[in-house]
Amino acid sequence: MYRILLVDDEALIREAVSDNVQWEEYGYELAGSCENGKEALEFIEKNPVDVVLTDICMPYMDGMQLSEKLSEEYPSTKIIILSGYDDFDYAKKAIRYGVKEYLLKPITAEEMGKALLDLKTELDKERKAERKISELESAYRKGQQLLYSDALLHLIRGSKADEEIRRELAKVGLNLDSAVYRVAVVELDIYARSTYKLDEERKRESALMAFVLHNISQEIVGRNKAGEVCQGKDHRTYILLHSNRPVEFRQRVKNICREIIEQMNQIMQLAVNIGLGSYVTETENIYKSYEEAEEALEYHYIMGGNHVMEIEEIREGKRQADVDEIMDAIALHVKGNESRKIEEDFRNMEKVLRDCFYDRRSAGVILQRVVDMLDELCRLSGTEESRKIAREEVLERALAAEQMKEALDILIACCMETGEWMDSQKNIGGKKYAVMAMDYIEKNYGDCDLSLHSVCSYLNISTSRFSAIFKQVTGTTFMDVLIGLRMQKAKELLEHTDMKNYEIAERVGFNDSHYFSIAFKKITGKTPTEYAREMRK
């Protein structure tokens, strides 16, 4: 029998449905009835049910709100909506919340009976699948196998004292006497994604998938006589690899790991991540290899699924990536609205960061740089504030992505959109000239001969026309922008370098250091020396 809850704010309808439906005949037990969604949730919290039959229009909490809450808090509970509204928007919401039936009033007893029988067939299948998984897991964890797995996990994780671990290993007949050991942690890619939301059906499937992963790993490792395998309660598979032939062991281990990945791809069509710790020579140090395997597994962020991540390779290859040229290329291609080249730039960046083994935090710094660069491009183009807010949302989504490729795809779309927007603005009200002038100033501010005339010569436009356009677009004058940029660059050099004042003056476009000092004080209220002393404290 499946328990069903009736929810309707009209007492007559509750009584009619309660009395006229032959619940037991269809395989159900009427657990109770409620007047609204709020009361129903309180009832379910204390009295779990399998099915909720609800009206839509009710006070305090209507049927759609109830369905949304049930989909979030009790996803295994099935929902049938009984409504007088033949409204497509309601039907769309019902689909989104996993509603199994959307029945329109008035409904005959025969129609209600058919809906209940169809739902019972689905519930029967789910219960049968749950029993099967439960039986498999129960069989796996029974008796000696459970003791073996627990003892092996304690050894791998170093979660018990050495003497106690040795006693547990002796009980299960596991005697380790090898020259080298290393730990591999094997994880289904879906479990590596912290934001991956599994519905009830998917949870049951993935529990079975994790069991298959363990069996495949056990078969391959056993065939190669390469070590011991166990499954953790976190659905991961743990492998303790060991050998008396260290030289050939490294390649054998990687081949075994690749075979596990290939088998899971072929049999279950699932991506697998494998982290490999370094070699240790004492059983007491196996936990160190395990901790390194966990560390290596974190690099699934940059590698994606179906990779063997070896801690030695990561540590040897980890270095600072030089992405300055790539950033310049992205900026250039955004300005030119060149979508294909933008995508090529990001694929190049992805390869560079992967080759340098960037972790999530370090990659996040690069993502921030890209968004900052877009902010600067749009600022120079006179973009509105709303686009800045949109880019902040883009950065938040990119930083939350589970893998670097997903994060870069988000930024690619943002860069393409920005390029299209900038392109559409270039010929509006003379903005093209203002954008080109700002770009020219940015690249040539260090030239002491840079002037209004040289910019107008570059743009092939008269000084009077340019001045009017530039003032209209930017709200300020050419000289104000130039001096402002030179002073900003001078501040950066004073803060972060030990350059002399005359060297900084030359760097930012002043051929007279005295005049530079006067101009700097006029802008900042301090001399360059005073500013540097204050900022370098």
Side-chain angles (χ1 to χ4, degrees), residues 183-211:
V183 174
V185 180
V186 190
E187 181 176 55
L188 290 169
D189 191 53
I190 56 172
Y191 285 109
R193 299 167 179 265
S194 59
T195 58
Y196 191 91
K197 186 177 180 181
L198 299 172
D199 57 30
E200 289 301 304
E201 183 177 358
R202 191 66 173 166
K203 283 180 181 176
R204 288 189 292 272
E205 289 177 358
S206 47
L208 182 58
M209 292 168 188
F211 188 70

Side-chain angles (χ1 to χ4, degrees), residues 342-377:
I342 289 172
E343 190 163 5
E344 288 176 0
D345 294 334
F346 275 97
R347 295 287 79 94
N348 186 20
M349 177 181 285
E350 181 182 355
K351 182 180 183 305
V352 168
L353 297 183
R354 182 177 291 125
D355 289 346
C356 294
F357 291 101
Y358 262 46
D359 57 23
R360 177 186 286 272
R361 184 190 61 79
S362 301
V365 174
I366 304 300
L367 304 182
Q368 178 73 63
R369 281 188 61 185
V370 172
V371 174
D372 288 346
M373 176 268 292
L374 291 178
D375 278 338
E376 182 66 10
L377 288 180

Side-chain angles (χ1 to χ4, degrees), residues 489-505:
K489 298 297 183 181
K491 286 179 184 179
E492 293 172 6
L493 292 172
L494 287 166
E495 291 174 21
H496 302 297
T497 73
D498 294 325
M499 294 173 65
K500 305 295 184 183
N501 288 349
Y502 73 87
E503 294 175 321
I504 293 175

